Amino acid sequence: MPDVSGAGRDETVEERADRQWQELIQEIRVAQTGVQILFGFLLTVAFTPTFHGLAQTDKTIYIVTVVLGSLATGALIGPVAFHRIVSGRRIKPEAVAWAARLTFTGLVLLLATCTAALFLVLRVATHNALAPWLVGGVLAWYLLCWFALPLWARIRYTAEY
């Protein structure tokens, strides 16, 4: 029986959940790859000779960055584990909703990780007061690309039902 909820498609709740799951998994693949590569590189930094010569402030920023990267990795891989555990229980719409929440959380944590990593690199590379301003500019760019433009498009182009 088709679900007529104003969604603009003639699909059942189960069909919609299947479609949304496939779309979400495609999105997660992109984010997972990025966060895993970034996290992998972050993990190696502590084993380099230069790391031991860093100021304590820079080491603290590094630790915060690694923890953020770890949290982002967990949130972005979480939907796969979630799906595996609930698969076959006939709760795909709920699984899609939870996976979407985990993905959004992972993206926010990835944003924080990228920002913190850039801040650390620029602090070490430049040793000047320009680093926070550069990071602020890049953060503004991330916020524009990842959140502001999609929210603007959502408001601008979403038909009211």
Side-chain angles (χ1 to χ4, degrees), residues 132-142:
W133 293 101
L134 290 171
V135 173
V138 172
L139 175 60
W141 177 249
Y142 285 158

Side-chain angles (χ1 to χ4, degrees), residues 5-7 13 19 31 42 46 57 71 74 77-78 81-82 84-85 93 96 98 103 113 121 131 142 147 150:
S5 63
V13 172
R19 176 181 52 80
L42 285 171
T57 301
L71 294 171
I77 293 174
F82 195 102
R84 185 56 20 228
I85 291 169
V96 168
W98 279 104
T103 302
T113 304
V121 168
Y142 285 158
F147 301 105

Side-chain angles (χ1 to χ4, degrees), residues 8-146:
R9 295 179 186 252
D10 186 24
E11 56 189 5
T12 65
V13 172
E14 292 81 13
E15 289 169 337
R16 180 177 302 113
D18 287 340
R19 176 181 52 80
Q20 289 174 332
W21 181 259
Q22 290 305 314
E23 291 172 357
L24 186 60
I25 287 300
Q26 288 299 95
E27 295 165 3
I28 291 171
R29 282 188 179 121
V30 172
Q32 275 181 346
T33 301
V35 75
Q36 288 171 334
I37 291 169
L38 177 59
F39 186 53
F41 280 121
L42 285 171
L43 290 176
T44 66
V45 170
F47 300 101
T48 64
T50 306
F51 179 78
H52 300 290
L54 290 178
Q56 186 56 48
T57 301
D58 293 331
K59 287 180 180 178
T60 302
I61 294 169
Y62 168 76
I63 290 166
V64 168
T65 304
V66 168
V67 170
L68 287 169
S70 179
L71 294 171
T73 301
L76 289 169
I77 293 174
V80 175
F82 195 102
H83 181 264
R84 185 56 20 228
I85 291 169
V86 303
S87 183
R89 302 294 177 174
R90 299 185 188 271
I91 60 168
K92 186 164 271 179
E94 293 82 1
V96 168
W98 279 104
R101 290 179 190 117
L102 282 169
T103 302
F104 185 80
T105 300
L107 290 174
V108 171
L109 290 165
L110 179 58
L111 172 70
T113 304
C114 289
T115 303
L118 181 62
F119 182 58
L120 176 61
V121 168
L122 291 178
R123 270 181 58 93
V124 172
T126 66
H127 300 292
N128 66 35
L130 188 59
W133 293 101
L134 290 171
V135 173
V138 172
L139 175 60
W141 177 249
Y142 285 158
L143 291 172
L144 176 70
C145 294
W146 293 10

